[in-house]
């Protein structure tokens, strides 16, 4: 992922790239976008969703919980792209 300031974030695992990109934007800014997943949990939240054994839905980072299952039923991530892009451009 390349940011307008030229910063490049890339990791072998997509989730690591995703988390570091959100960290660069500012984890505290993401909840304001209002992107919800999994029964009303925000993409980035201080709230941890209870999980079933063997399932990982969120990753913890700097005291925040980041949803790692980000595609809708059709496999689309457009709502995330649009919402987060508005924060990057600020």
């Amino acid at each position: 992922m390349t940011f307008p300031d030229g910063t490049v974030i890339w990791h072998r695992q997509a989730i690591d790239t995703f988390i570091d990109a959100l960290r660069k934007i500012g984890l505290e800014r993401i909840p304001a976008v209002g992107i919800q997943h999994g029964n009303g949990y925000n993409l980035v939240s201080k709230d941890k969703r209870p999980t079933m054994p063997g399932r990982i839905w969120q990753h913890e980072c700097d005291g925040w919980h980041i949803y790692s299952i980000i595609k809708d039923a059709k496999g689309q991530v457009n709502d995330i792209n649009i919402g987060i892009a508005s924060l990057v451009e600020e």
Side-chain angles (χ1 to χ4, degrees):
M1 168 173 246
T2 303
F3 284 84
D5 67 1
T7 301
V8 176
I9 298 175
W10 182 89
H11 297 286
R12 190 172 186 96
Q13 298 290 320
I15 188 64
D16 295 331
T17 301
F18 183 64
I19 289 171
D20 279 353
L22 293 177
R23 287 176 81 190
K24 176 165 176 46
I25 294 166
L27 294 172
E28 70 284 351
R29 298 175 68 204
I30 305 299
V33 176
I35 301 167
Q36 294 188 348
H37 292 278
N39 298 322
Y41 286 88
N42 283 328
L43 174 65
V44 176
S45 176
K46 289 288 187 174
D47 298 325
K48 181 175 171 127
R49 180 180 176 180
T51 60
M52 295 183 292
R55 301 293 302 258
I56 297 174
W57 289 316
Q58 295 171 306
H59 292 261
E60 194 277 327
C61 178
D62 302 334
W64 292 88
H65 299 281
I66 301 169
Y67 237 85
S68 57
I69 300 173
I70 58 171
K71 293 182 181 177
D72 65 17
K74 295 179 182 178
Q76 302 295 312
V77 292
N78 293 334
D79 57 343
I80 293 172
N81 292 338
I82 292 166
I84 292 176
S86 67
L87 294 177
V88 172
E89 294 169 0
E90 288 181 354

